[in-house]
Amino acid sequence: MQDSPRPKANSRFILLLFAGMILGGIFGSVAARPFAFIDLLGDLFLGALKMLILPLIASSMIVGVSSLGDVRKLGRLGGFTLLYYLSTTVTAVILGLILVNVIKPGASAGMETAVAMEVADYSFLDVIRGIIPSKFFGAIISEGQVLPLIFFSLFLGSVITMVGEKGRPVLSFFEGLFHVSMKMTHLVVATAPIGVFALVATQMGQAGGWTGFYPVLKSLGLYSATVMAGLLLHGGVTLPIALMIFGRRSPLRFARDMIEPLVLSFSTASSSATLPVTMEALDKKAGVDPKVGNFVLPLGATINMDGTALYEAIAAVFIAQSFGIDLSLPAMITIVLTATLAAIGAAGIPQAGLVTMVMVLHSVGLPAEGVGMILAVDWFLDRCRTTVNVWGDAVGGAVVERAVNRRLSRS
Ligand code: ASP
């Protein structure tokens, strides 16, 4: 196991984060209604995190790619990263399918939970189109889309290496921007206990407190339990095994290093908003080579979503079971494929998976309105699956780092 000297995780701060989360849950439960001031605090915190995404992703990816120096190295890094993303996502979908077929949470579900819902159509072509949208900078700046930003940064970073000396000032600018963005992240994170408190309290208040949420959770109980069991198994068994075998790290210690992004991902329900904190923790706490982390994490926050993939598979089969539809083996295989694509296509923002699930439902002939059935518990499951998404990205950073470095030391 790797035992590199690195700064110790600050236990007092971790305690404060957990206290913020738990107190927020209790406060929101007791109050059972949203408070404008607390809502504002949460919005400010979330806004501050989102504000960091653009400078941080652009600078880290441009510097990272141009410092690789050689397109072949980028190819190797990209290859290992995609291999990791794909294999863990497909494993998560298969685990979800096994669980939902064994537990059969939809067999006894009444259709009374269905809610009429307007759903937009969504196809995989939209995912591809989203990489280079027609209003490119508008999509990045006003809509906050991350995929075009990643594309642009990779492109710019690679071209800097082709231009040579003349491109040097551009690179120096982004190097400076990267250090400044990291420092800003650090300062924003210092307010996280309050931000986390506000976000959790507001959400719990909106759900009508525990007494409002409990009946909903109960009526969709078996479905929620199936998703939670899948997330626990994937996050607590599959990914730690991958981390031990391929990343040669202790999962417990790694989890402790990543505790801040994990708490934040649950509180924000957004991989993208958590990204600055994940990058900081992976580099400063876990000691993963930033050249690898700064490539694996931004891409992972948008396209690697194990928790979302697992949930998409379970939800689709649950909806089929509730409608009394028996899915054949080819239909299950179709779900493996489309749930993987739907997770890739989902943006790292709250409940994005609910939208891309339409693609999975369509692929096996289920009505898109089925998503209305699971809407009531989705905000909660979204937070749980986002935590697994972020955990999967972080584990990916450690696994890919070792794969790339081993390969380099051999060649
Ligand atoms: N909220 C999730 C994320 O940001 C995406 C989703 O599954 O809805 O990772």
Side-chain angles (χ1 to χ4, degrees):
M1 305 284 141
Q2 171 154 335
D3 236 337
S4 58
R6 71 218 201 305
K8 275 175 71 178
N10 181 346
S11 336
R12 228 188 68 189
F13 188 73
I14 293 173
L15 228 63
L16 280 174
L17 268 184
F18 273 108
M21 191 162 73
I22 293 164
L23 287 178
I26 296 174
F27 183 84
S29 266
V30 176
R33 70 191 170 94
F35 284 93
F37 177 66
I38 294 181
D39 190 17
L40 170 72
L41 280 182
D43 282 350
L44 289 179
F45 178 64
L46 205 57
L49 283 174
K50 287 190 193 155
M51 150 191 102
L52 298 168
I53 295 175
L54 175 64
L56 195 61
I57 293 193
S59 61
S60 67
M61 290 209 107
I62 291 169
V63 173
V65 169
S66 49
S67 67
L68 286 174
D70 172 351
V71 181
R72 267 176 310 170
K73 278 191 197 155
L74 177 62
R76 207 172 296 147
L77 179 58
F80 279 126
T81 306
L82 291 184
L83 184 68
Y84 169 84
Y85 288 165
L86 215 62
S87 42
T88 48
T89 305
V90 170
T91 311
V93 175
I94 293 174
L95 173 65
L97 281 181
I98 293 174
L99 286 176
V100 73
N101 280 298
V102 170
I103 302 175
K104 294 198 190 333
S108 58
M111 288 301 297
E112 71 275 10
T113 37
V115 177
M117 206 185 142
E118 276 285 315
V119 268
D121 216 350
Y122 188 85
S123 80
F124 187 62
L125 293 183
D126 295 325
V127 181
I128 309 280
R129 198 167 285 123
I131 299 176
I132 316 182
S134 51
K135 294 202 176 80
F136 196 87
F137 289 106
I140 294 175
I141 293 166
S142 52
E143 288 167 36
Q145 287 187 27
V146 181
L147 228 43
L149 177 61
I150 291 177
F151 171 77
F152 180 75
S153 310
L154 287 177
F155 192 30
L156 186 72
S158 321
V159 173
I160 285 179
T161 54
M162 294 178 193
V163 172
E165 212 29 55
K166 287 235 169 76
R168 187 71 220 162
V170 182
L171 183 58
S172 305
F173 168 75
F174 282 111
E175 274 167 355
L177 184 63
F178 177 62
H179 289 293
V180 174
S181 309
M182 274 306 223
K183 184 70 190 170
M184 290 203 291
T185 305
H186 200 78
L187 294 174
V188 171
V189 170
T191 66
I194 299 172
V196 164
F197 168 84
L199 287 171
V200 176
T202 304
Q203 177 68 73
M204 208 55 192
Q206 269 167 8
W210 183 243
T211 42
F213 182 50
Y214 182 68
V216 177
L217 193 64
K218 217 171 122 202
S219 75
L220 285 165
L222 207 50
Y223 158 69
S224 309
T226 312
V227 174
M228 301 281 286
L231 292 176
L232 272 175
L233 281 174
H234 189 74
V237 181
T238 313
L239 290 175
I241 289 178
L243 182 63
M244 275 196 300
I245 297 180
F246 302 110
R248 296 251 154 232
R249 281 170 184 265
S250 144
L252 276 180
R253 191 162 163 182
F254 191 70
R256 194 188 138 97
D257 290 338
M258 299 310 296
I259 206 86
E260 287 170 18
L262 292 180
V263 171
L264 270 180
S265 52
F266 183 85
S267 315
T268 60
S270 167
S271 307
S272 293
T274 312
L275 178 64
V277 187
T278 320
M279 287 172 72
E280 203 207 16
L282 197 71
D283 173 9
K284 297 280 176 334
K285 303 263 165 60
V288 169
D289 183 353
K291 266 196 210 119
V292 176
N294 294 348
F295 178 85
V296 175
L297 291 181
L299 207 55
T302 10
I303 66 172
N304 180 46
M305 299 197 180
D306 297 0
T308 301
L310 182 141
Y311 137 88
E312 304 253 357
I314 293 180
V317 178
F318 169 74
I319 290 168
Q321 289 172 349
S322 313
F323 280 111
I325 299 169
D326 246 345
L327 293 175
S328 58
L329 188 65
M332 292 289 173
I333 295 171
T334 308
I335 290 182
V336 173
L337 200 76
T338 49
T340 304
L341 294 180
I344 293 173
I349 55 172
Q351 302 199 318
L354 204 61
V355 179
T356 59
M357 200 165 62
V358 174
M359 188 160 96
V360 186
L361 296 178
H362 273 339
S363 72
V364 287
L366 290 168
E369 288 68 27
V371 289
M373 293 179 60
I374 51 170
L375 206 57
V377 274
D378 198 68
W379 68 266
F380 179 71
L381 296 179
D382 185 21
R383 283 157 195 268
C384 302
R385 64 181 186 254
T386 307
T387 311
V388 173
N389 291 345
V390 168
W391 175 233
D393 295 340
V395 169
V399 167
V400 174
E401 179 201 42
R402 189 166 150 82
V404 170
N405 288 347
R406 263 184 59 181
R407 193 56 198 265
L408 284 182
S409 61
R410 267 203 246 138
S411 57

